[in-house]
């Protein structure tokens, strides 16, 4: 593997899953794979899980890690081309990417969308410019349109808990007080379809995701029908893709509650976290024995370690 930005970078999906199981069972079995290698983690946006789990994964493989909060700890970065740089942005992404690429062997990047201009966000330009100019492998730690390390951890978790070969996996929209990106649901839908699950996506009208990401999934507007018989409920809020970046409803009926979960096949509750309690999910559901959000977060180390190991093999 050279870069890791989506499920499309995975050559052998089932083999990657098997490697993840091995990595989970024996986290220090590859402790020298990254000896004398350095990973630089660049954050344009906040993080708890991604920041810590990716560092831990790299360290489990024997790598050195460096972490930089772009625009806070470094010079403010200009990401547009052809502009007169007479404002507060002192460094252009073209030089910054090339320089950082000389200091490390792998670069991880977190860069959220602005949610103002759909075409600009979906060009995923920051991660793509790093791929173009850094000269080293790039790992997405959540880009404007996908969150593949999260999705891979989600699939590892479903494999761990599933009781049938092809579980019904429901990606369920839930309300939120702020406009959030589509990156997690986009990516989750792609990975869950690639895993061969029965994937259903439910949301109010107007929250349709870009169909390029949900191909192979069933879109079900009838929430009760969607929840019925689900083995896993993956809750997530996202802002509208159609009416780009807008919040169209805050209807609490879409919150993951006992009323919705009682329709399922005693589904496991999943969320990528952080999650707003009693807005996205009730206390009683996230605190129930069917909630697997902590194990899901723990698997972020496994997904990152498996991906980094696959990149290190070809350095
Ligand atoms: N799920 C996730 O990516 O968490 P953080 O935003 O805290 O990294």
């Amino acid at each position: 593997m050279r870069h890791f930005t989506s499920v499309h970078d995975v050559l052998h999906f089932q083999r990657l899953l098997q490697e993840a199981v091995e990595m989970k069972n024996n986290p220090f079995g590859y402790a020298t794979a990254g000896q004398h290698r350095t990973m630089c983690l660049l954050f344009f946006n906040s993080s708890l899980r991604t920041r810590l789990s990716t560092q831990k994964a790299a360290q489990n493989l024997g790598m050195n890690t460096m972490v930089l909060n772009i625009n806070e700890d470094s010079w403010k970065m200009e990401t547009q081309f052809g502009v007169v740089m007479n404002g507060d942005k002192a460094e252009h992404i073209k030089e910054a990417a090339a320089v950082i690429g000389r200091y490390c062997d792998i670069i991880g990047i977190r860069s959220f969308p602005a949610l103002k201009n759909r075409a600009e966000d979906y060009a995923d330009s920051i991660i793509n410019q790093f791929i173009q100019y850094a000269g080293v492998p790039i790992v997405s730690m959540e880009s404007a349109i996908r969150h593949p390390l999260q999705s891979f951890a989600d699939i590892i978790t479903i494999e761990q808990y599933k009781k049938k070969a092809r579980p019904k996996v429901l990606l369920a929209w839930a309300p939120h007080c702020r406009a959030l990106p589509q990156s997690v649901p986009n990516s989750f839908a792609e990975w869950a379809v690639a895993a061969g699950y029965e994937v259903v996506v439910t949301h109010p009208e107007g929250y349709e995701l870009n169909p390029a990401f949900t191909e192979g999934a069933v879109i079900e507007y009838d929430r009760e029908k969607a929840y019925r018989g689900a083995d896993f409920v993956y809750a997530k809020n996202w802002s509208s893709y159609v009416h780009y970046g807008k919040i169209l409803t805050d209807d609490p009926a879409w919150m993951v509650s006992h009323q919705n979960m009682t329709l399922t096949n005693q589904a496991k509750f999943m969320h990528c976290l952080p999650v707003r309690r009693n807005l996205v999910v009730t206390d009683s559901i996230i605190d129930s024995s069917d909630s697997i959000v902590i194990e899901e977060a723990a698997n972020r180390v496994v997904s990152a370690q498996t991906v980094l190991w696959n990149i290190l093999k070809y350095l």
Side-chain angles (χ1 to χ4, degrees), residues 43 46-53 110 112 141-142 147 150 184 271-274 300:
F43 288 91
S46 305
S47 167
L48 186 154
R49 279 143 291 274
T50 305
R51 178 182 295 253
L52 298 180
S53 64
R110 164 161 287 199
F112 289 173
M141 299 193 302
E142 186 169 349
H147 195 357
Q150 178 66 53
V184 168
H271 190 283
C272 63
L273 304 182
R300 290 294 306 273

Side-chain angles (χ1 to χ4, degrees), residues 8 14 24 41 45 75 115 128 135 138 141 155 172-173 177 190 193 198 203 214 223 231 242 253 288 307 313:
H8 306 299
Q14 290 303 328
K24 188 175 172 80
L41 287 77
N45 308 94
W75 303 108
L115 293 178
N128 284 322
I138 301 298
M141 299 193 302
I155 301 305
W173 183 92
C177 50
E190 283 186 321
V193 167
E198 179 191 350
H203 52 71
T214 54
R223 190 180 63 252
D231 298 298
V242 182
S288 76
V307 165
K313 278 196 287 191

Side-chain angles (χ1 to χ4, degrees), residues 34-48:
Q35 207 173 24
H36 308 308
R37 299 289 189 183
T38 299
M39 179 168 191
C40 187
L41 287 77
L42 306 179
F43 288 91
F44 287 77
N45 308 94
S46 305
S47 167
L48 186 154

Side-chain angles (χ1 to χ4, degrees), residues 3-147:
H3 304 290
F4 181 74
T5 63
S6 82
V7 74
H8 306 299
D9 293 317
V10 178
L11 285 179
H12 304 288
F13 191 88
Q14 290 303 328
R15 191 190 298 171
L16 193 76
L17 276 181
Q18 186 55 41
E19 288 167 353
V21 172
E22 288 163 21
M23 208 61 81
K24 188 175 172 80
N25 291 337
N26 187 16
F28 304 114
Y30 307 87
T32 58
Q35 207 173 24
H36 308 308
R37 299 289 189 183
T38 299
M39 179 168 191
C40 187
L41 287 77
L42 306 179
F43 288 91
F44 287 77
N45 308 94
S46 305
S47 167
L48 186 154
R49 279 143 291 274
T50 305
R51 178 182 295 253
L52 298 180
S53 64
T54 310
Q55 282 185 80
K56 183 167 169 64
Q59 289 162 8
N60 284 354
L61 294 167
M63 301 186 80
N64 298 312
T65 55
M66 301 189 292
V67 183
L68 192 62
N69 297 316
I70 298 285
N71 296 331
E72 289 175 32
D73 301 340
S74 65
W75 303 108
K76 283 199 191 325
M77 198 179 290
E78 178 58 66
T79 59
Q80 304 295 318
F81 283 78
V83 294
V84 179
M85 289 175 57
N86 59 359
D88 64 342
K89 295 174 179 171
E91 174 135 36
H92 199 276
I93 192 169
K94 190 169 180 182
E95 290 81 54
V99 168
I100 294 166
R102 295 296 185 95
Y103 299 151
C104 56
D105 302 283
I106 301 175
I107 300 174
I109 298 171
R110 164 161 287 199
S111 165
F112 289 173
L115 293 178
K116 291 194 175 100
N117 181 316
R118 189 169 86 176
E120 275 180 20
D121 286 346
Y122 273 70
D124 224 0
S125 65
I126 289 184
I127 208 153
N128 284 322
Q129 286 176 36
F130 267 88
I131 287 174
Q132 193 169 352
Y133 299 119
V136 297
I138 301 298
V139 173
S140 168
M141 299 193 302
E142 186 169 349
S143 78
I145 57 173
R146 289 185 175 96
H147 195 357

